PDB file of all heavy atoms in Angstrom:
ATOM      1  N   LEU Q1048      -2.737  26.529   8.589  1.00 95.00           N
ATOM      2  CA  LEU Q1048      -2.543  25.636   7.443  1.00 95.00           C
ATOM      3  C   LEU Q1048      -2.886  24.198   7.812  1.00 95.00           C
ATOM      4  O   LEU Q1048      -3.507  23.468   7.031  1.00 95.00           O
ATOM      5  CB  LEU Q1048      -1.096  25.725   6.948  1.00 95.00           C
ATOM      6  CG  LEU Q1048      -0.702  27.004   6.212  1.00 95.00           C
ATOM      7  CD1 LEU Q1048       0.802  27.003   5.926  1.00 95.00           C
ATOM      8  CD2 LEU Q1048      -1.478  27.152   4.912  1.00 95.00           C
ATOM      9  N   GLU Q1049      -2.480  23.786   9.004  1.00 96.00           N
ATOM     10  CA  GLU Q1049      -2.796  22.420   9.449  1.00 96.00           C
ATOM     11  C   GLU Q1049      -4.304  22.221   9.563  1.00 96.00           C
ATOM     12  O   GLU Q1049      -4.829  21.161   9.200  1.00 96.00           O
ATOM     13  CB  GLU Q1049      -2.115  22.149  10.789  1.00 96.00           C
ATOM     14  CG  GLU Q1049      -0.611  21.983  10.680  1.00 96.00           C
ATOM     15  CD  GLU Q1049       0.068  21.827  12.027  1.00 96.00           C
ATOM     16  OE1 GLU Q1049      -0.522  22.266  13.053  1.00 96.00           O
ATOM     17  OE2 GLU Q1049       1.179  21.289  12.075  1.00 96.00           O
ATOM     18  N   ALA Q1050      -5.012  23.240  10.057  1.00 96.00           N
ATOM     19  CA  ALA Q1050      -6.465  23.139  10.177  1.00 96.00           C
ATOM     20  C   ALA Q1050      -7.121  23.010   8.801  1.00 96.00           C
ATOM     21  O   ALA Q1050      -8.073  22.244   8.621  1.00 96.00           O
ATOM     22  CB  ALA Q1050      -7.013  24.358  10.917  1.00 96.00           C
ATOM     23  N   ILE Q1051      -6.603  23.749   7.828  1.00 95.00           N
ATOM     24  CA  ILE Q1051      -7.171  23.719   6.477  1.00 95.00           C
ATOM     25  C   ILE Q1051      -6.905  22.384   5.784  1.00 95.00           C
ATOM     26  O   ILE Q1051      -7.769  21.822   5.109  1.00 95.00           O
ATOM     27  CB  ILE Q1051      -6.600  24.877   5.637  1.00 95.00           C
ATOM     28  CG1 ILE Q1051      -7.098  26.221   6.168  1.00 95.00           C
ATOM     29  CG2 ILE Q1051      -6.984  24.721   4.157  1.00 95.00           C
ATOM     30  CD1 ILE Q1051      -6.384  27.410   5.555  1.00 95.00           C
ATOM     31  N   LEU Q1052      -5.699  21.862   5.959  1.00 96.00           N
ATOM     32  CA  LEU Q1052      -5.276  20.680   5.193  1.00 96.00           C
ATOM     33  C   LEU Q1052      -5.502  19.361   5.920  1.00 96.00           C
ATOM     34  O   LEU Q1052      -5.286  18.291   5.344  1.00 96.00           O
ATOM     35  CB  LEU Q1052      -3.792  20.804   4.834  1.00 96.00           C
ATOM     36  CG  LEU Q1052      -3.421  22.028   3.985  1.00 96.00           C
ATOM     37  CD1 LEU Q1052      -1.907  22.087   3.781  1.00 96.00           C
ATOM     38  CD2 LEU Q1052      -4.137  21.992   2.641  1.00 96.00           C
ATOM     39  N   SER Q1053      -5.945  19.416   7.165  1.00 95.00           N
ATOM     40  CA  SER Q1053      -6.138  18.170   7.927  1.00 95.00           C
ATOM     41  C   SER Q1053      -7.167  17.256   7.270  1.00 95.00           C
ATOM     42  O   SER Q1053      -7.098  16.030   7.387  1.00 95.00           O
ATOM     43  CB  SER Q1053      -6.555  18.492   9.365  1.00 95.00           C
ATOM     44  OG  SER Q1053      -7.777  19.233   9.393  1.00 95.00           O
ATOM     45  N   ALA Q1054      -8.132  17.851   6.555  1.00 94.00           N
ATOM     46  CA  ALA Q1054      -9.168  17.052   5.900  1.00 94.00           C
ATOM     47  C   ALA Q1054      -8.613  16.150   4.801  1.00 94.00           C
ATOM     48  O   ALA Q1054      -9.263  15.177   4.411  1.00 94.00           O
ATOM     49  CB  ALA Q1054     -10.244  17.971   5.319  1.00 94.00           C
ATOM     50  N   LEU Q1055      -7.415  16.451   4.307  1.00 95.00           N
ATOM     51  CA  LEU Q1055      -6.813  15.619   3.252  1.00 95.00           C
ATOM     52  C   LEU Q1055      -6.268  14.308   3.809  1.00 95.00           C
ATOM     53  O   LEU Q1055      -5.943  13.393   3.048  1.00 95.00           O
ATOM     54  CB  LEU Q1055      -5.679  16.390   2.564  1.00 95.00           C
ATOM     55  CG  LEU Q1055      -6.078  17.669   1.829  1.00 95.00           C
ATOM     56  CD1 LEU Q1055      -4.843  18.322   1.207  1.00 95.00           C
ATOM     57  CD2 LEU Q1055      -7.131  17.379   0.770  1.00 95.00           C
ATOM     58  N   ASP Q1056      -6.139  14.220   5.141  1.00 94.00           N
ATOM     59  CA  ASP Q1056      -5.662  13.015   5.816  1.00 94.00           C
ATOM     60  C   ASP Q1056      -4.287  12.578   5.316  1.00 94.00           C
ATOM     61  O   ASP Q1056      -4.047  11.407   5.022  1.00 94.00           O
ATOM     62  CB  ASP Q1056      -6.666  11.859   5.634  1.00 94.00           C
ATOM     63  CG  ASP Q1056      -6.373  10.690   6.569  1.00 94.00           C
ATOM     64  OD1 ASP Q1056      -5.795  10.913   7.645  1.00 94.00           O
ATOM     65  OD2 ASP Q1056      -6.704   9.541   6.192  1.00 94.00           O
ATOM     66  N   GLN Q1057      -3.382  13.546   5.203  1.00 96.00           N
ATOM     67  CA  GLN Q1057      -2.004  13.259   4.839  1.00 96.00           C
ATOM     68  C   GLN Q1057      -1.090  13.676   5.997  1.00 96.00           C
ATOM     69  O   GLN Q1057      -1.561  14.196   7.010  1.00 96.00           O
ATOM     70  CB  GLN Q1057      -1.621  14.000   3.552  1.00 96.00           C
ATOM     71  CG  GLN Q1057      -2.530  13.715   2.374  1.00 96.00           C
ATOM     72  CD  GLN Q1057      -2.589  12.254   1.974  1.00 96.00           C
ATOM     73  OE1 GLN Q1057      -1.586  11.539   2.046  1.00 96.00           O
ATOM     74  NE2 GLN Q1057      -3.756  11.793   1.546  1.00 96.00           N
ATOM     75  N   THR Q1058       0.207  13.446   5.858  1.00 96.00           N
ATOM     76  CA  THR Q1058       1.156  13.788   6.909  1.00 96.00           C
ATOM     77  C   THR Q1058       1.646  15.216   6.708  1.00 96.00           C
ATOM     78  O   THR Q1058       2.261  15.528   5.686  1.00 96.00           O
ATOM     79  CB  THR Q1058       2.353  12.822   6.903  1.00 96.00           C
ATOM     80  OG1 THR Q1058       1.879  11.481   7.089  1.00 96.00           O
ATOM     81  CG2 THR Q1058       3.329  13.166   8.027  1.00 96.00           C
ATOM     82  N   LEU Q1059       1.367  16.086   7.678  1.00 97.00           N
ATOM     83  CA  LEU Q1059       1.761  17.491   7.608  1.00 97.00           C
ATOM     84  C   LEU Q1059       3.022  17.703   8.434  1.00 97.00           C
ATOM     85  O   LEU Q1059       3.072  17.363   9.613  1.00 97.00           O
ATOM     86  CB  LEU Q1059       0.633  18.390   8.121  1.00 97.00           C
ATOM     87  CG  LEU Q1059      -0.737  18.179   7.451  1.00 97.00           C
ATOM     88  CD1 LEU Q1059      -1.782  19.085   8.098  1.00 97.00           C
ATOM     89  CD2 LEU Q1059      -0.656  18.432   5.949  1.00 97.00           C
TER      90      LEU Q1059
END
Side-chain angles (χ1 to χ4, degrees):
L1048 288 174
E1049 288 175 337
I1051 292 170
L1052 300 176
S1053 60
L1055 297 180
D1056 193 27
Q1057 304 301 324
T1058 301
L1059 306 177

